[in-house]
Amino acid sequence: MAPRHIAEAALAGLRQELTGEVFAPVDAGYDEARTIYNGMIDRRPALIAQCGTGADVARAVRFGREHELEIAVRGGGHSVAGMAVNDDGLVVDLRRMHGVVVDPEERTARVGGGATMSHLDRATQPHGLATTGGRASTTGVGGFTLGGGSGWLERKFGLACDNLVSAELVTADGTTVHTDADDDPELFWALHGGGGNFGVATSLTLRLHRLPVFSMVLLLFLPEKAGDALRAYRDLMEAAPDETGGALIYLTAPPEPFVPEHLVGRLVCATLVTYTGTEAEARETAGSLIALPHEAEVITEVPYADLQCMLDDPSGLRNYWSAEYLTGFPDDAVEVFRSLADTMPVPTASQHIMFPMGGAVAGGAKDYPLPWRTSPWAVHPFGVWENPAGDGRARGWVRGVRAAMRPWAIDSVYLNFIGFEGEERVVASFGERNYRRLAAVKARYDPDNVFRRNHNIRPELPVAV
């Protein structure tokens, strides 16, 4: 049965024309199809078009416009802010389009718009190749890359968008377009941080890099001894070679084999050093950290695709994230960051994270609309919990982290790390000049703002902020 504002014949036609599957609210499988990663989001679209090809996507977009349905685009990943689903609209679901074709000679991968990092990393690993991916295997490649793409390998290989070779999009009128550095370079520029504002990315081609060996140094510290670890980690990363990445993470210690029983369920401070090289090289680089008294350690060479799975959280938990990018991490900022861990909800899957930037991130193309890339440090309060009764506490903690770190923060932020925090923050994150340029591209490809369920760039010039 069709939703009341869509004729039965029209719905039947869409079902027949798509190689994928179409779900209406009365269909078996509809509830599973509408469920997303963030358990706080419970929306009921009029239709969900699970597309199998680029032609399916084009047909679905045209159908949505013909029937005046709000269109949401669902890639392969999280959509923590819930932008991938709507109420009473059409969801263009790309998850069936997850193929990855690796060309080891050219060192490229052609990636379907619904692929996750797991699809990409498992395809490239047998060739000893990789590119910058998210920090979880369940992240969607499309939204991640078009939003900029910050991950473990970024200090060595640059942001994910720095490795974008070309893209195919279905635009708001259902047309398929190709773009690269030579073919519509202005659209190509806009895809380096502008997200899904300009069309549905059905395929991305990414540059790959040699990664024959990858190593990690993971140390767990008691919170009361974490001050020395924070300062040592800061000093290490500010002098480390570009091969070095990682994070400093406060978290609830999980019941893993390497975690001592007395720590499980308690707040701990973890320092993670990743290294695009051997275990011996990683040990030498992280020697100052390893020398500090700590409770547990994992120091080993590990397949990069396996590391990508280590911080995966199960779907269905409640999520609220934000971030601030800093001008530096002086001792007073270290102390504030350390104290904020005391108010993190524990035990939950929440994480209080500090990422080192620099390296190829700061050294990448200055022209792209990503002012935050020059920041040396990023703070990412990552609220994840299970009980709705904890909503107020978790959200309050995330907002409190942002407020407390503002004295050292810049205005720009990696938008993939946050939900909707107002139009002014979107404009500030691109910078007003970049935003105006992005708005001009938006006006050319989506003048009616069909693709607005995102960190939206409106197709008119913004009010100055």
Side-chain angles (χ1 to χ4, degrees):
M1 180 182 296
R4 58 183 174 80
H5 51 294
I6 300 172
E8 290 285 355
L11 177 56
L14 181 65
R15 293 188 194 274
Q16 184 173 8
E17 292 170 13
L18 262 58
T19 65
E21 195 165 358
V22 179
F23 291 95
V26 297
D27 293 332
Y30 169 82
D31 283 331
E32 181 179 359
R34 72 181 180 88
T35 300
I36 64 171
Y37 173 83
N38 188 350
M40 296 180 74
I41 309 299
D42 182 19
R43 298 198 174 117
R44 298 186 64 82
L47 292 174
I48 301 168
Q50 291 191 339
C51 300
T53 66
D56 281 0
V57 173
R59 179 67 188 100
V61 169
R62 289 195 297 270
F63 183 93
R65 299 210 64 187
E66 289 162 3
H67 292 83
E68 299 182 343
L69 295 170
E70 182 188 49
I71 294 174
V73 180
R74 181 172 188 175
H78 298 146
S79 186
V80 169
M83 298 173 183
V85 289
N86 54 28
D87 285 315
D88 300 320
L90 170 67
V91 173
V92 179
D93 186 339
L94 307 181
R95 286 177 294 166
R96 294 175 180 237
M97 301 170 60
H98 57 69
V100 178
V101 178
V102 177
D103 185 332
E105 299 299 322
E106 294 294 325
R107 294 188 187 175
T108 61
R110 182 179 172 90
V111 185
T116 64
M117 290 302 157
S118 181
H119 294 123
L120 174 59
D121 296 335
R122 296 299 179 187
T124 60
Q125 187 163 282
H127 303 284
L129 300 171
T131 196
T132 301
R135 296 178 176 90
S137 70
T138 49
T139 302
V141 177
F144 170 78
T145 301
L146 300 184
S150 173
W152 302 125
L153 301 178
E154 63 190 359
R155 284 173 46 89
K156 179 64 174 176
F157 300 141
L159 299 171
C161 71
D162 294 333
N163 293 287
L164 182 64
V165 175
S166 65
E168 289 187 1
L169 306 179
V170 172
T171 59
D173 62 359
T175 301
T176 299
V177 300
H178 171 92
T179 183
D180 56 35
D182 299 315
D183 188 353
D184 200 341
E186 191 68 1
L187 174 60
F188 190 64
W189 171 86
L191 298 182
H192 290 72
N197 272 282
F198 314 101
V200 184
T202 56
S203 175
L204 304 176
T205 298
L206 301 173
R207 184 179 301 107
L208 304 177
H209 304 267
R210 292 275 300 150
L211 188 64
V213 62
F214 183 79
S215 302
M216 61 177 284
V217 176
L218 176 64
L219 309 176
L220 297 186
F221 296 87
L222 293 172
E224 55 267 30
K225 297 184 178 179
D228 290 342
L230 265 68
R231 287 184 287 273
Y233 188 82
R234 175 200 60 194
D235 294 346
L236 184 158
M237 290 308 307
E238 289 185 348
D242 292 356
E243 288 79 6
T244 316
L248 190 148
I249 312 170
Y250 281 92
L251 73 163
T252 301
E256 297 289 345
F258 71 92
V259 177
E261 186 175 350
H262 71 279
L263 294 182
V264 173
R266 292 179 54 192
L267 180 70
V268 295
C269 176
T271 59
L272 173 63
V273 175
T274 62
Y275 197 85
T276 56
T278 66
E279 178 186 333
E281 293 168 326
R283 282 182 178 273
E284 181 179 2
T285 298
S288 59
L289 265 180
I290 297 171
L292 294 176
H294 52 276
E295 300 296 303
E297 66 178 42
V298 178
I299 305 175
T300 185
E301 293 176 9
V302 59
Y304 168 67
D306 290 355
L307 176 73
Q308 287 285 69
C309 301
M310 290 184 180
L311 292 180
D312 286 354
D313 288 316
S315 179
L317 297 178
R318 303 174 78 78
N319 284 254
Y320 185 77
W321 307 354
S322 194
E324 292 290 349
Y325 280 67
L326 309 185
T327 57
F329 198 27
D331 284 348
D332 50 353
V334 169
E335 178 56 27
V336 169
F337 179 83
R338 185 207 61 74
S339 68
L340 291 164
D342 296 337
T343 59
M344 187 179 82
V346 175
T348 67
S350 299
Q351 298 172 19
H352 182 39
I353 310 174
M354 177 72 78
F355 291 122
M357 307 294 285
V361 179
K366 301 297 188 292
D367 181 52
Y368 294 148
L370 304 165
W372 50 267
R373 74 182 304 155
T374 61
S375 175
W377 292 94
V379 178
H380 183 30
F382 185 83
V384 186
W385 67 103
E386 185 172 3
N387 191 337
D391 288 2
R393 180 186 177 195
R395 285 173 165 168
W397 170 72
V398 169
R399 292 166 180 159
V401 172
R402 273 201 63 204
M405 300 305 297
R406 279 300 299 168
W408 301 277
I410 64 174
D411 290 332
S412 182
V413 65
Y414 174 42
L415 292 171
N416 282 359
F417 272 173
I418 73 172
F420 180 71
E421 296 180 359
E423 184 178 11
E424 289 188 1
R425 195 160 206 222
V426 173
V427 176
S429 291
F430 292 122
E432 188 170 345
R433 178 179 296 180
N434 285 326
Y435 188 97
R436 289 178 179 271
R437 186 175 168 186
L438 291 164
V441 179
K442 177 77 169 183
R444 184 154 58 97
Y445 282 100
D446 185 12
D448 299 320
N449 205 10
V450 171
F451 301 120
R452 59 184 178 271
R453 293 194 63 81
N454 45 41
H455 291 295
N456 194 231
I457 298 164
R458 293 196 288 175
E460 66 265 10
L461 296 181
V463 176
V465 295

